Amino acid sequence: MTDVEIPFARLISLSDDIAPMEFLLSGREHSLGRSPLCDIVIPRNNISRIHARVTREGPRYLLHDAGSANGTFINGQPLGAPHMLSNRDGIGLGSAGELLRFLDPDPTVVTASRLRLDERTQTFLLGSLPLSLPPNQFRLLTHLYRHMGNLCTREECAEAVWGRDYDPGMDAESLDKAISGLRSALRRADDDAAGLLQTRRGMGYVLLPTLTTE
């Protein structure tokens, strides 16, 4: 019987003062910070002793801020909630400048965490690409995004789009078109990303946190 090697992700240092220069994320949890007890040590004054953590759940890796004084950043943006890491994500600690690069050995995992809402400009971005959405699709995606991983009924989606109760006779076709248009917008940004928006026939829709493609 041949052992199958599990492909773990890695963090690559982008600065000479970070040790180690390359770190295999083979455990369930790894710490980043100024303390010499951390798995990845960044000896800088603006870095907290335990600044951030990376946890692993199956093929997925999540970046968490550990209550740091100066914040954690992902691709130049402040990290609020835990962020599901995608291949080549840049991690900043204490400032927006990237100190670490996340490398995923399994690029077939598409993550909805690459999708984010810029609250200031009211624009959705997939990675660095802005999605061009008409108002009804923007409101629909906002609702699905805020309930990621949960079933959103057609009634709830219609209310989010039009601000009133769902009328099947009047709204069914328009809602179907909005869903179709939203999938097309995701597909234009990334061929696989449209699969993140799933239909639950007779019930509604789910924006999946991850999609593993074959």
Side-chain angles (χ1 to χ4, degrees), residues 10 23 28 33 36 68 74 82 87 95 100 109 123-124 139 144 146 148 153 166 169 172 177 188 201 207:
R10 294 172 292 150
F23 186 82
R28 291 293 180 185
S68 66
I74 187 75
N87 190 40
S95 68
L100 298 161
V109 177
T123 303
F124 275 101
R139 290 191 291 268
L144 294 165
R146 297 196 190 285
M148 187 182 295
T153 66
Y166 178 59
K177 287 182 178 178
R188 285 193 296 271
R201 193 166 299 279
L207 184 64

Side-chain angles (χ1 to χ4, degrees), residues 105-126:
D106 185 3
T108 63
V109 177
V110 181
T111 65
S113 65
R114 292 174 52 213
L115 180 70
R116 63 182 177 86
L117 173 60
D118 186 326
E119 298 280 1
R120 183 178 61 83
T121 62
Q122 288 294 286
T123 303
F124 275 101
L125 298 99
L126 188 65

Side-chain angles (χ1 to χ4, degrees), residues 16 21 28 37 64 73 80 83 99 109 115 129 137 213:
D16 291 340
M21 294 297 291
R28 291 293 180 185
L37 299 178
H64 311 252
F73 297 78
H83 171 86
L99 297 178
V109 177
L115 180 70
L129 296 175
Q137 291 177 25
T213 60

Side-chain angles (χ1 to χ4, degrees), residues 178-201:
I179 289 289
S180 177
L182 188 50
R183 284 202 179 100
S184 295
L186 291 168
R187 187 177 294 110
R188 285 193 296 271
D190 185 312
D191 285 341
D192 294 321
L196 293 166
L197 178 51
Q198 297 281 307
T199 298
R200 298 290 185 261
R201 193 166 299 279

Side-chain angles (χ1 to χ4, degrees), residues 19 28 47 78 80 102-103 109 120-121 142 157 178 191 205:
R28 291 293 180 185
I47 305 295
F102 176 79
L103 296 182
V109 177
R120 183 178 61 83
T121 62
T142 299
C157 290
D191 285 341
Y205 309 95

